[in-house]
Structures are given as C-alpha cells and as structure tokens.
Amino acid sequence: MGQGADTVRLAGHPPRDLATVLQGAKRCPVVHTGEGDVVITGHPEVVAAAGDPAVFSSRVSSHLQLPNGLDGEEHARWRALIERYLERGVVDKRGPEFREAARTVIAESLPGPRGEVDAVTDLGTRYAVRAMTTWLGWPRELEGRLVAWVGDNAAATRSGDRARTAAVAADFDRIITAVVEPRLTDDTTAEGDVTRQLITDTNFGRPLHREEIVSVLRNWTGGDLSSMALCIGVILHRLSTDTALQEHLRFGVPQAEFEAIIDEILRLDSPFVSNRRVTTRPVTIGGVDLPEGQRVRLHWTAANLDPAAFGEPGEFRPDTHAAANLVWGTGPHVCPGRALSMVEMRAFLDELLAAAVVRPGSGPGTRATHPVGGWESLPVHLERC
Ligand code: HEM
C-alpha cells in the first residue's frame, strides 16, 4: 500500500530545480504540484509509467492530437503512418538543404568581425523556422509570421494563462490551414514537398481528412520549432563554456559520436521538460497512491538527473549515460523526430563552427522556467574563424 506525495511548486522555477527533490535526505520520486497535478520525477518511475499506456493514458486533451493523444492500436496505426516521413534514410537526404538554410541564417547573424547574437532568438528560432519550412516545403513569406509565433508561444506558455495559450494555438492552426488549403486542390507541387505528400497519403486506403492533416502538421511543427530553438540555446551555452568540446566538434566527429554528445548535452539541460498522462485506474507508483483520472506529468528533465539512474548525474559522460537518457522520451510515444532533429542540428553546428568561434556573451542570459527548459535568451559572441 502506498501513501500521499509531497508537494512541490513548479511555476516560476527552472525545471532542473525539481531534480533536487530526488537528491534530498528523503527521495521523492512522485510529488504533487498543489494545483491538482502529480509529477513523476524518479527515473525508474517515469520509465515505468511511460511504458504502461494502459494505465497512464495519453488521452489528456479533448483536441485531436495525432499521434500524441492516442493509445493502443489507434496510436500504433498513426505512428506507423508518420514514421515513414521521419525515418533516418528519408530525412538524411535533406541534409544539404538544411546546411544551406543554416549558412543563410548564420550569415545574416554575423554582422561584423566580432558580433554578439542571442543563441535562442536570433540563431535558434530563425534556424528552426528556416529548416522546418525547408523540410515541409512551406513558402518563405511565412517565416516572419512563424518567428513571431514562436515568441508569442513562449510568452503565452510562460504566462500560464490558458486563454492566451489557446489564442496562440488557434493562430498556429490558422497558419497551417492557410498552407494546407490551396494544396488540397493543387497537384502541381514539387514531389519533394512533404506537406503535399501528407495530403495525398493513401496508406490508410482513404485520403486523410483536413483536420487530421492539420493535427499531424501541428505536432510535427510544434515539436520542431520550439524544441529545436531551445536545443540550440542549450548546446551553444555548453559549447561557449566548454572550449575543448567546441574544438573537438569543429575538428569533425563521426555521426554516432556527434549524436551521443548532443544527447548528453541535452540530458544535462533538457529543454523538452515533461509530457502529460491521465490514469485509467487506481495505481501505486513510487510508493504513492493515485486515483483513476489523476492528471500526471512525466518529468523527463528531473528523471534525467536522478542519481538512482546516473550515479553522478551532473557529470558529462556521453557513453555511460546513453542507455538511460530520456531526452527523447521512452515507450510507445518515444520521439519519432530524433533522426530529423539530429540531421538539422548537425547541419547547423557544422556550418556555425566552420564560420565562427562561439564564446560567452556579455550578459548571463535568462533561464527558462516551468513548463519550458533551457534558456529563454542567451547572448553569445560569434568571432569569425
Ligand atoms: C528538437 C528536439 C526534440 C525533443 C527534445 C523531442 C522530445 C520528445 C519527447 C520527450 C517525446 C515523448 C512524448 C510523450 O511521451 O508523450 C516526443 C514525442 C514526439 N515528437 Fe519529439 N522532440 C524533438 C523534436 C521533434 C521533431 C523535429 C519532430 C517532428 C518533426 C517531433 C515529433 C514528435 C511527435 C509526433 C511525438 C509524439 C509521438 C507519439 O505520440 O507517438 N519531435 N518528442
């Protein structure tokens, strides 16, 4: 028989602070937020919950979320459909286009021989938008609106104001619908246009409905835009303060080593903090009793710093920490966008490190707070090589 959980406030705190509840005299792998939610912070407990969708369901929203908000066979069917677009062999071919996108964004951000830029807003967001529009075949004219949307979305998320978050989400649906609408009837779009491929996808033996197309695109772009921008902030913070690692990457490393390094940088400072679940029946986890219908957060960031899984969780050890790393989640909903993210990040870092040395900027930067991780803004100096 389990018991009640301790209470920890999340609002206003960097998500990494939550890891301290695991390191205290009394280890607390499951905590209450005081706002009705329960947060699972312990590594073994997060892995157990993420791997048990029959009890920890992803049906947390009344909105259509394909495939994120599905369970069981329905989830598996949609998952198989989207994985065809995100397979390594498919996304690897887009590397040269992402390099071109990176070169342009970096050239535009290098104003002089030695310039200071913001790693998240100038580099991360603009590259994330350029790479995503390149991948999906969206018009260049949308980029300004998408960059503004990433900023609005971050501000709305920080505010915790549900009406504001809903308005920003509705704005994004309008952007996606404006892209999808003309393509429903136009069959002249180039073959490489992923959006058009999705619209004409026949793997279910029927055309996808408009709201299904919009939902899939929303989950792809939501994952891509904000996470990519934040990942670039976290990575550039690490490289600007760890010159040996920066030089090592500039020299060039095999892809497998590159990915292990990126995974470990992101584990130490996960920008993609948590995902929601709801219990389908009473369950005891981490010694805490949860009723049916309990809203739960799987906290990847805290679990990624759990001494029970990593021994010395604060140490940078790409090889030894790889197996337990939860940056991309685990279980049936594990991120299908990892290969695409890695191709995009490799293109960006190769181009940036060939063009400039990255050093800490003049100010300390601003940490992001719950529910987002990493940096809200981070000045860095770019010194041309
Ligand atoms: C850039 C860094 C990214 C990080 C750190 C990240 C992280 C994650 C995590 C932790 C999950 C698990 C969610 C859960 O269990 O509920 C997830 C799921 C997902 N991610 Fe990513 N992601 C990233 C990029 C991307 C990209 C580029 C795409 C697609 C273009 C993408 C598409 C998705 C989708 C569709 C799911 C839901 C999968 C499902 O429900 O089966 N992600 N991601």
Side-chain angles (χ1 to χ4, degrees):
M1 176 60 79
Q3 351 153 351
D6 289 16
T7 299
V8 172
R9 302 244 166 238
L10 301 182
H13 298 285
R16 288 198 311 171
D17 290 1
L18 203 52
T20 54
V21 304
L22 292 161
Q23 291 151 13
K26 176 177 159 240
R27 184 173 182 273
C28 301
V30 179
V31 292
H32 277 297
T33 62
E35 291 148 3
D37 275 356
V38 159
V39 185
I40 306 187
T41 54
H43 189 282
E45 291 79 8
V46 166
V47 171
D52 191 358
V55 177
F56 292 90
S57 164
S58 288
R59 291 185 186 277
V60 292
S61 167
S62 54
H63 297 286
L64 185 66
Q65 294 184 323
L66 301 173
N68 313 36
L70 304 176
D71 295 324
E73 279 181 26
E74 205 184 359
H75 170 257
R77 239 162 49 88
W78 277 97
R79 178 82 192 199
L81 184 130
I82 66 157
E83 277 179 357
R84 292 191 189 92
Y85 296 83
L86 296 167
E87 276 167 14
R88 187 168 286 269
V90 173
V91 295
D92 267 353
K93 296 192 185 113
R94 310 297 301 269
E97 293 166 74
F98 294 139
R99 278 172 197 276
E100 176 59 32
R103 269 196 294 278
T104 316
V105 168
I106 292 161
E108 288 165 6
S109 304
L110 278 171
R114 189 186 159 96
E116 186 160 299
V117 295
D118 193 282
V120 182
T121 53
D122 294 330
L123 289 173
T125 303
R126 289 180 51 224
Y127 174 64
V129 166
R130 179 64 60 93
M132 195 204 79
T133 52
T134 302
W135 176 54
L136 292 172
W138 288 13
R140 260 306 119 80
E141 306 83 70
L142 266 183
E143 285 188 5
R145 199 167 159 202
L146 287 166
V147 168
W149 180 85
V150 174
D152 290 348
N153 185 41
T157 309
R158 272 196 303 278
S159 76
D161 177 342
R162 285 186 184 209
R164 198 170 159 191
T165 320
V168 173
D171 185 33
F172 199 54
D173 274 10
R174 278 192 291 276
I175 299 177
I176 297 177
T177 306
V179 176
V180 169
E181 208 63 44
R183 283 152 204 259
L184 288 168
T185 49
D186 172 15
D187 56 5
T188 59
T189 327
E191 204 187 308
D193 182 331
V194 171
T195 306
R196 175 83 190 148
Q197 284 171 22
L198 184 67
I199 288 169
T200 54
D201 194 305
T202 52
N203 277 293
F204 284 173
R206 60 158 177 88
L208 301 184
H209 303 141
R210 180 182 313 201
E211 58 278 15
E212 292 172 338
I213 296 165
V214 170
S215 178
V216 168
L217 285 171
R218 191 194 308 118
N219 284 320
W220 282 353
T221 50
D224 204 353
L225 284 180
S226 305
S227 316
M228 185 58 61
L230 290 168
C231 284
I232 286 177
V234 168
I235 292 166
L236 293 191
H237 176 256
R238 178 85 206 191
L239 297 187
S240 67
T241 51
D242 185 344
T243 46
L245 184 61
Q246 183 178 156
E247 281 315 305
H248 184 59
L249 285 178
R250 180 174 288 110
F251 187 68
V253 294
Q255 186 64 19
E257 184 183 350
F258 175 84
E259 296 191 8
I261 289 171
I262 298 300
D263 281 351
E264 181 68 346
I265 293 176
L266 298 179
R267 180 189 70 79
L268 285 162
D269 198 358
S270 279
F272 192 108
V273 174
S274 65
N275 282 103
R276 294 187 298 153
R277 299 290 191 266
V278 59
T279 54
T280 59
R281 63 167 173 77
V283 61
T284 302
I285 186 159
V288 173
D289 293 331
L290 303 181
E292 178 182 337
Q294 175 65 57
R295 286 180 300 153
V296 167
R297 270 182 193 274
L298 309 183
H299 208 285
W300 314 115
T301 301
N304 263 332
L305 296 169
D306 185 353
F310 296 100
E312 298 284 344
E315 297 291 314
F316 180 78
R317 290 184 188 151
D319 295 338
T320 37
H321 291 158
N325 194 328
L326 295 177
V327 163
W328 308 95
T330 181
H333 292 273
V334 67
C335 183
R338 181 178 178 275
L340 175 65
S341 307
M342 285 295 181
V343 182
E344 291 186 10
M345 281 193 262
R346 179 96 207 218
F348 177 78
L349 285 178
D350 280 359
E351 294 300 328
L352 181 66
L353 298 181
V357 175
V358 187
R359 299 194 197 287
S362 50
T366 309
R367 273 274 170 203
T369 53
H370 172 82
V372 178
W375 296 86
E376 191 180 311
S377 70
L378 178 75
V380 288
H381 270 301
L382 297 184
E383 202 173 311
R384 282 180 198 274
C385 289

